[in-house]
Amino acid sequence: MNHSNTRKLLVGYFAYECGRAMYFVLVTWFLFQWTENALYTGLFVSFGFIPGLFSNVIFGVLVDRYNRKTLASLAGVLSIIVLIMLWAAFLMDWINPWGVIVTHMVLQTAGSLFRPSLQAFVGEVFKPDDLPRIFSLSGSATISGSLAGAGLGGVFSSFLPISLALFIVIIFYQGASLMIYLLNYEPLFERKDTKHSDFFKEIQSGFKYLHAHRMLYGLFVMMMLGQLTFHTTLGFLSVYTRDYLQKSALVYGSLDVTFSIGGIAAGILGAWWWRRMQNHIAIYALLTMAVGLGMLGFFQNIGVAFTGILLIGAGTSIVRALLQSVQQIATDREFHGRMASFRMLCNQTSVVITGPLFGWIANENGANFVFLLLLIPVAFGLIWSWFQSKHPRFIEITSKTA
């Protein structure tokens, strides 16, 4: 294992996620405070992923054709430019709800290139046997960054003007981009001749590869549920705190921090969970998510809310980190970028479709109904995960020591 690269990678993940979480807490709280309409929150969460529905497949081929470190660095620079524009808009008081939503769409698109580039980078430069540990550590670094960013965002939203808080967000994004730039990278397999290979044929070959490895369909479904629950919970937590629990921005930040603590615990215990649960890793993770969602949906109690959000944070992190490890191990290296982008396409489509619906429901019936509705797909996911656990290749991969 390359320890220098591991340290830089973890610091980069931490800084990027800290900035992202801080940005998300600040903007979602500001948007709901300003508009007093949860529908805008649903549109913010949903519309942010719309560009990804068109760009993910293209980004997947780019990641498999070109230098993955360079692509991640370019995505980081684009994120910084977009944030500077948003900061300037707040500073000059030129902001409006749709301007915030459109800016978020561009920022999410940059993230749709950043994440698969870095994930494919990890799959390329680290040995397959190291991947469960690397992804667990990366998950811990990511969730730790989310914890720090959420906590700072909750404090800053109470005491600082948003323009100053966004300037701090930009600094974290700059730190993440610097760490990615400093990564040592020598491709471990020879790229195809990109001048003579047909771009659209490579897209087609990605779909053919996916169809030939059908176990990936099941993994994508379960990771989609993890990401849908993750993004919906974070997106509507401000509405849930303010409208349903009737609490302040500090409580909102504290709940977001608790969500991150659950993720950190899952990351630290990821290797143990893998060894203990083996082919049942997804079943118990989805069950943990379901219990947490039920607690948020059925009980209007602050103590129960903290417990429920902790369970959701842990469950979603296990699904996202460990099943991603299974996917990387099960995928040939030259297809890592395309499979990562297909996975993100599934994830983002689910959020795009449900975001406005959840926003309308939260506005009409209360934010707790959002979590109750999420229980329905998660319940079907539990059934799916049971069948997936019987797949021979899934059993073979998860029986390996993480």
Side-chain angles (χ1 to χ4, degrees):
M1 186 183 295
N2 187 323
H3 295 290
S4 175
N5 261 358
T6 301
R7 287 192 294 270
K8 294 170 187 174
L9 180 72
L10 296 181
V11 173
Y13 270 124
F14 176 88
Y16 183 87
E17 191 62 22
C18 184
R20 187 212 60 79
M22 196 186 309
Y23 153 83
F24 202 87
V25 168
L26 290 167
V27 175
T28 52
W29 184 261
F30 168 82
L31 189 62
F32 185 66
Q33 288 281 101
W34 188 25
T35 64
E36 293 289 339
N37 191 335
L39 181 58
Y40 279 110
T41 303
L43 294 175
F44 177 84
V45 175
S46 172
F47 280 27
F49 291 113
I50 286 179
L53 302 185
F54 306 97
S55 64
N56 274 327
V57 174
I58 296 173
F59 286 166
V61 176
L62 291 178
V63 170
D64 287 334
R65 286 165 64 103
Y66 299 110
N67 188 296
R68 291 160 175 182
K69 173 184 168 182
T70 300
L71 291 172
S73 298
L74 288 173
V77 171
L78 177 60
S79 298
I80 293 169
I81 293 171
V82 171
L83 284 167
I84 289 174
M85 294 173 63
L86 182 63
W87 168 76
F90 274 110
L91 191 65
M92 302 296 182
D93 199 25
W94 294 342
I95 205 70
N96 64 75
W98 284 107
V100 173
I101 291 171
V102 171
T103 302
H104 184 61
M105 292 170 71
V106 180
L107 193 63
Q108 287 289 83
T109 304
S112 293
L113 178 59
F114 180 86
R115 283 183 288 272
S117 298
L118 210 54
Q119 289 162 8
F121 169 90
V122 171
E124 184 177 353
V125 302
F126 291 97
K127 296 178 181 179
D129 290 345
D130 291 331
L131 289 180
R133 176 169 172 75
I134 290 296
F135 278 113
S136 290
L137 290 173
S138 298
S140 294
T142 298
I143 300 299
S144 297
S146 180
L147 185 152
L152 291 172
V155 173
F156 291 165
S157 61
S158 299
F159 299 108
L160 293 181
I162 191 167
S163 57
L164 178 57
L166 281 176
F167 184 77
I168 299 172
V169 170
I170 293 170
I171 293 174
F172 277 102
Y173 270 84
Q174 289 175 332
S177 296
L178 177 62
M179 287 297 103
I180 301 307
Y181 175 77
L182 294 175
L183 285 168
N184 299 315
Y185 179 50
E186 294 182 6
L188 296 185
F189 66 90
E190 186 177 351
R191 291 283 191 274
K192 296 178 179 178
D193 185 351
T194 58
K195 293 182 179 179
H196 297 95
S197 59
D198 188 284
F199 191 89
F200 293 101
K201 284 186 178 179
E202 291 199 31
I203 294 178
Q204 187 180 28
S205 69
F207 282 106
K208 288 181 178 178
Y209 181 88
L210 175 60
H211 188 65
H213 298 77
R214 298 191 178 187
M215 186 189 76
L216 294 175
Y217 286 122
L219 292 174
F220 288 170
V221 167
M222 291 184 289
M223 287 187 283
M224 178 195 71
L225 291 171
Q227 289 284 31
L228 175 62
T229 303
F230 178 87
H231 288 292
T232 302
T233 300
L234 287 181
F236 285 92
L237 193 56
S238 60
V239 181
Y240 180 81
T241 305
R242 171 77 190 282
D243 196 42
Y244 186 69
L245 295 179
Q246 301 289 315
K247 300 297 181 180
S248 67
L250 284 176
V251 174
Y252 168 44
S254 299
L255 284 168
D256 209 324
V257 166
T258 304
F259 184 86
S260 301
I261 290 173
I264 291 174
I268 294 173
L269 297 174
W272 172 85
W273 187 281
W274 182 295
R275 290 193 301 269
R276 179 71 176 173
M277 304 301 176
Q278 295 192 352
N279 60 312
H280 295 125
I281 55 176
I283 295 174
Y284 289 104
L286 288 168
L287 184 61
T288 302
M289 286 165 46
V291 173
L293 289 169
M295 295 176 78
L296 291 184
F298 288 113
F299 301 99
Q300 192 175 9
N301 178 278
I302 188 66
V304 174
F306 273 101
T307 304
I309 207 74
L310 182 74
L311 293 176
I312 296 173
T316 54
S317 294
I318 291 170
V319 169
R320 296 164 73 221
L322 296 189
L323 293 186
Q324 184 179 317
S325 298
V326 174
Q327 179 208 319
Q328 293 287 88
I329 294 170
T331 303
D332 294 330
R333 283 177 171 172
E334 60 268 30
F335 287 95
H336 276 171
R338 276 164 284 186
M339 294 307 105
S341 289
F342 289 163
R343 181 188 71 240
M344 292 176 66
L345 179 63
C346 295
N347 297 341
Q348 294 176 5
T349 300
S350 68
V351 179
V352 168
I353 293 172
T354 59
L357 173 64
F358 286 156
W360 177 78
I361 288 171
N363 199 54
E364 295 294 322
N365 301 291
N368 63 309
F369 278 89
V370 172
F371 300 110
L372 292 176
L373 282 176
L374 275 173
L375 272 173
I376 298 172
V378 170
F380 282 108
L382 271 169
I383 299 172
W384 186 290
S385 65
W386 185 85
F387 286 105
Q388 181 80 80
S389 70
K390 306 299 181 181
H391 193 286
R393 179 62 172 148
F394 190 83
I395 294 173
E396 177 190 351
I397 293 173
T398 53
S399 63
K400 296 178 181 179
T401 302

